[in-house]
Amino acid sequence: GAGVSQSPSNKVTEKGKDVELRCDPISGHTALYWYRQRLGQGLEFLIYFQGNSAPDKSGLPSDRFSAERTGESVSTLTIQRTQQEDSAVYLCASGGVHYGYTFGSGTRLTVV
Amino acid sequence: AQSVTQPDIHITVSEGASLELRCNYSYGATPYLFWYVQSPGQGLQLLLKYFSGDTLVQGIKGFEAEFKRSQSSFNLRKPSVHWSDAAEYFCAVRRSGGGADGLTFGKGTHLIIQP
């Protein structure tokens, strides 16, 4: 597609359940980022994928968080045993330094 | 590690007035610099970027930004704001030369437009 697609757009889950968030980057974009944005806050870096290189996972807040990416295509962010503090908008971006980074519309996660 | 500072959490400007949003970065070499805008409930939209060449860059929606190496700044400007410019603005920096550093964002500046 023309932009970065994220699904679902909204997700309400019960505390303790696992959730999986999906990001479809723009075709040909080798770099992919996941960020978390809590209500009224800035962007918190989670993880970075660049081509076939080992991902930079330095921003993942706990071992409940993991992410995968198949080649230069779809990425999934998984949160296990969700907690209320995980409630946030999760944003995905793909791109590169010479043409900028395009963000998806995000997944709004609410843990109840 | 690089960092980005946006000193103004909130800025209020009258419609039609000029605007300057400040951004300072901390990094030893020339970074790649970006400005994004986020309207309420929306994702982030790229306004403009700098990675080399002319230090004054033009972006979408009438915005421009100037890279000043001596001041480690990349301030965003617009000569005349419109009510639709009310949004959250984020400055971002990425380290040049490759590497797995994240795209680092400032905490954002909330722009309010007065009629």
Side-chain angles (χ1 to χ4, degrees), chain A residues 69-90:
Chain A
R69 188 182 186 195
T70 306
E72 295 182 355
S73 62
V74 172
S75 177
T76 55
L77 176 69
T78 302
I79 308 174
Q80 295 178 310
R81 304 181 303 281
T82 51
Q83 304 294 313
Q84 288 187 329
E85 62 262 29
D86 299 335
S87 295
V89 176
Y90 290 82

Side-chain angles (χ1 to χ4, degrees), chain A residues 33 35 37 40-43 45 48 50 54-56 91 93 96-106 108, chain B residues 32 34 36 38 41-46 49-51 88 90 94-95 99-108:
Chain A
Y33 291 89
Y35 291 89
Q37 187 177 31
Q41 303 296 311
L43 278 75
F45 166 72
Y48 164 67
Q50 174 63 57
D56 177 356
L91 292 164
V97 293
H98 292 290
Y99 41 86
Y101 297 90
T102 302
F103 279 80
S105 297
R108 182 176 300 278
Chain B
Y32 297 126
F34 307 85
Y36 284 86
Q38 186 179 34
Q42 303 296 312
L44 276 77
Q45 182 181 24
L46 178 65
K49 61 186 183 293
Y50 171 83
F51 54 86
E88 193 81 17
F90 293 95
R94 192 196 189 286
R95 194 181 76 171
D101 293 275
L103 183 63
T104 305
F105 283 81
K107 295 188 181 299

Side-chain angles (χ1 to χ4, degrees), chain B:
Chain B
Q2 67 262 22
S3 66
V4 180
T5 302
Q6 293 181 247
D8 304 304
I9 299 174
H10 299 278
I11 281 189
T12 301
V13 178
S14 297
E15 190 170 13
S18 63
L19 170 70
E20 183 169 26
L21 302 183
R22 296 184 290 166
C23 173
N24 293 95
Y25 65 90
S26 171
Y27 178 58
T30 301
Y32 297 126
L33 296 159
F34 307 85
W35 273 101
Y36 284 86
V37 60
Q38 186 179 34
S39 297
Q42 303 296 312
L44 276 77
Q45 182 181 24
L46 178 65
L47 286 176
L48 46 78
K49 61 186 183 293
Y50 171 83
F51 54 86
S52 68
D54 193 345
T55 56
L56 183 64
V57 293
Q58 303 296 322
I60 63 171
K61 304 185 178 188
F63 286 92
E64 67 178 26
E66 186 171 12
F67 169 58
K68 293 185 177 181
R69 184 192 305 274
S70 61
Q71 298 176 18
S72 297
S73 69
F74 188 57
N75 294 350
L76 182 72
R77 301 194 293 247
K78 187 170 184 178
S80 176
V81 298
H82 185 262
W83 65 267
S84 60
D85 294 324
E88 193 81 17
Y89 290 80
F90 293 95
C91 180
V93 60
R94 192 196 189 286
R95 194 181 76 171
S96 61
D101 293 275
L103 183 63
T104 305
F105 283 81
K107 295 188 181 299
T109 296
H110 185 61
L111 177 62
I112 300 166
I113 307 295
Q114 283 183 335

